[in-house]
Amino acid sequence: MAKYNPADPIQDLQYFGEFGGVNPSITDSSTFTFLQAGKMEEIFEHEIEGCYLYSRHWNPSNKYLSQALAKMEGTESASVTASGMGAITNVILQLCNSGDEIVTSRTIYGGTYAFFKNFLPKFNIKVKFVDITNLEQVKAAITDKTKVLYCETMSNPMLEIADIPELSKIAKENDLKLVVDNTFSPMIFSPYVLGADIVVHSMTKFINGMSDCVAGCICASKEFIDSLSDVNAGASMLLGPVLDSYRSASILKNLRTLHIRMKQHSHNGMYLAKKLQEEGLTVTYPGLENHPQHKLMKELMNEEYGFGGMITLDMQTKERANTLMEMMQNDNIGYLAVSLGFYKTLFSSPGGSTSSEIPEEEREAMGLTDGLVRISIGLDNNIERTFEKMLACIKRVK
Ligand SMILES: *Cc1c(COP(=O)(O)O)cnc(C)c1O
């Protein structure tokens, strides 16, 4: 299976600031001057390398970060957006016209689910939800109107692993674009290298890792990324989810430690999942042998980054889940908060929050029970101590 090392190409990028700074200078301008009027006309027609027009279109800070992200995913090009949803919605609206169809995994981020289910019908775009681990079901949902096959590499919150090489085959046979959200598993999976056409991320999560901003990115071919910023017909240019250049600069600095952070998140995730399972608790973690796609993940992953920092723990009832989360916060194990990829452990109950957009029957069908606690393991240096504290809380829950 094609493996990729996402960290080395980022390391190899060489950027200089205006006065030889070791970090690139931050663009503090919305607009850019031209020496010749003719050049301005030219850039309205097509992008010119190293030449900037207006910050919603492109600016140097966003370019630097985009280049690093393209290196990470092994794509020709990339662009950045003001949120993960900004990345997802722009990709979909760029690819689909009225009358088109999308086949998507049913276990996806709640916001994406709501966009597909409630928003796209306004544009006469039909979305079919399938069990992405069932390739026959995926194939059966495709019609001659289908344009996009959509999934998350590691799904939110059920941690199902999508078989990207097989889905890529299906996409190619049917002339579809395979769009993959890799938010839960940056560096762990390289979906583009495995056959996806477009990779999106919420950089709000692991990539930035500081829980201090909201941002997203799109990694794909140069042709697709250029089409997004087309002044006449590009979704990013016209819908305008531009990332502020100050944020771009700070995310680039945080991206440089992503490989180290992912390894620590995964180390902690594996330790906790094993220990909790040994206690007889119902834990879902793709690093555990009993995870339905454990073998598949081993085949597809870039091993050195581990199985990730996300775990779910089934506490059976909503009441027990809520009690546990409050106890864990009181004992300073982490925060009762949505989102993920922070240095501190974050936990929430997806049934009542980030996945509440999904109707109850559908949540049941995918195993998303009300007692489920989603845990994003932090960078805890002493994970044994964290486990002991967590176990003490669990034992106190009636
Ligand atoms: C958070 C999240 C998003 C949305 O990203 P925002 O940055 O909050 O807009 C999309 N997909 C997944 C898997 C997420 O976890």
Side-chain angles (χ1 to χ4, degrees), residues 225-236:
I225 298 299
D226 287 352
S227 75
L228 289 168
S229 61
D230 185 288
V231 292
N232 294 306
S236 297

Side-chain angles (χ1 to χ4, degrees), residues 82-88 108-112 150 152 154-156 181-184 200-205 213-216 339-340 354 374:
S83 71
M85 285 311 295
I88 294 163
I108 48 173
Y109 176 68
T112 314
Y150 186 93
E152 294 173 2
M154 185 187 286
S155 78
N156 180 5
D181 180 338
N182 200 25
T183 300
F184 273 36
V200 292
H201 282 275
S202 166
M203 297 201 289
T204 314
K205 318 295 170 56
C213 73
V214 173
S339 201
L340 43 127
T354 48
R374 185 186 79 179

